[in-house]
Amino acid sequence: MGPELSVTLAWQRVRRRLLARRSPEPQQFAQNKVADSLCFPNRATIAMMSAEANAEVKRYSTELPGSSTGSDQTQENSEEVPSVVPVGAREPGWQPTPVGRWRPESEVPYPGDAYFKQQRTNRYVLDGIWADLKKEFKTVRRRLQVPFHMRSPLSVAAWLHQSTGDPRWEVIAESVKVLQNRKEGYDPPFTPDPYAAHVPRSPHYQLTRDTVNAYRERADQLRTDINKLTDLHTDS
């Protein structure tokens, strides 16, 4: 049924099975097609793709001229096909640098509407730095074959920490948490009630160029650590 299942697809399958058993018909209550938008990975498809990939590797290896058989063939296959996420990574003594605090200890209050253009420009710069960091994690997903439904940088780092047992990915995840919460206090407060009267609001703090540069330095350091740790978990 494809790599992703929506709530509607799952409900339809459950409904057919229950009706075939002459059980009470289940009901689904959703608005604005949200049941078609909420999706989750189809584990059957993932398992099938993995099995097909393993079968293809095995078939290709057996068709190579001069290939051996039996236990020697199994050993050669395991050596020819690189382990994407080894259990024990190299350089266990090396540790990534935690991002830590990048915002100033005492924030400068927002001075007023006269600084709106400058504040908006600096926020756009923060968004650009974060977007570049997300692209770096997309490269990590491809190199280490992280499941496709792990899309956010935090989920990628958390999955790698859980799958490899390497605590250095947990350090990366904590650094991501610090950097992804980049605009708190620098954006105008959000009004959750759409029917409330629109009242112009100002950010709490002024986003200075020095703060943006500090964020950029932390992001560059994290990017360097990500690349090195990814290299350590990739067999050449």
Side-chain angles (χ1 to χ4, degrees), residues 72-144:
D72 294 338
Q73 180 67 41
T74 303
Q75 182 177 2
E76 289 181 4
N77 290 344
S78 63
E79 293 175 355
E80 292 176 0
V81 181
S83 176
V84 179
V85 184
V87 176
R90 300 182 292 272
E91 297 187 29
W94 175 81
Q95 293 293 329
T97 303
V99 166
R101 183 181 178 89
W102 58 274
R103 300 176 65 153
E105 293 291 341
S106 57
E107 300 275 13
V108 179
Y110 187 73
D113 293 339
Y115 288 83
F116 174 75
K117 184 176 181 180
Q118 179 182 356
Q119 185 88 352
R120 181 177 58 183
T121 301
N122 290 338
R123 290 204 313 266
Y124 287 163
V125 174
L126 284 185
D127 291 339
I129 299 172
W130 175 251
D132 291 340
L133 192 60
K134 290 177 66 176
K135 292 179 182 178
E136 201 71 42
F137 273 93
K138 290 180 67 175
T139 304
V140 173
R141 287 174 52 203
R142 184 178 66 253
R143 291 183 60 188
L144 300 185

Side-chain angles (χ1 to χ4, degrees), residues 2-5 40-50 148-149:
E4 290 188 349
L5 296 176
F40 48 91
N42 186 356
R43 294 184 177 181
T45 302
I46 297 175
M48 180 181 64
M49 293 173 60
S50 178
F148 69 93
H149 61 278

Side-chain angles (χ1 to χ4, degrees), residues 3 14 19 28 37 49 54 58 72 91 103-104 110 113 119 134 156 175 183-185 199 212 216-217 232 235:
V14 172
L19 291 179
Q28 177 182 255
S37 302
M49 293 173 60
N54 292 336
K58 184 177 181 180
D72 294 338
E91 297 187 29
R103 300 176 65 153
Y110 187 73
D113 293 339
Q119 185 88 352
K134 290 177 66 176
V156 171
S175 297
K183 294 192 295 184
E184 183 178 0
V199 179
V212 172
R216 188 193 306 275
E217 291 176 1
L232 295 179
D235 283 344

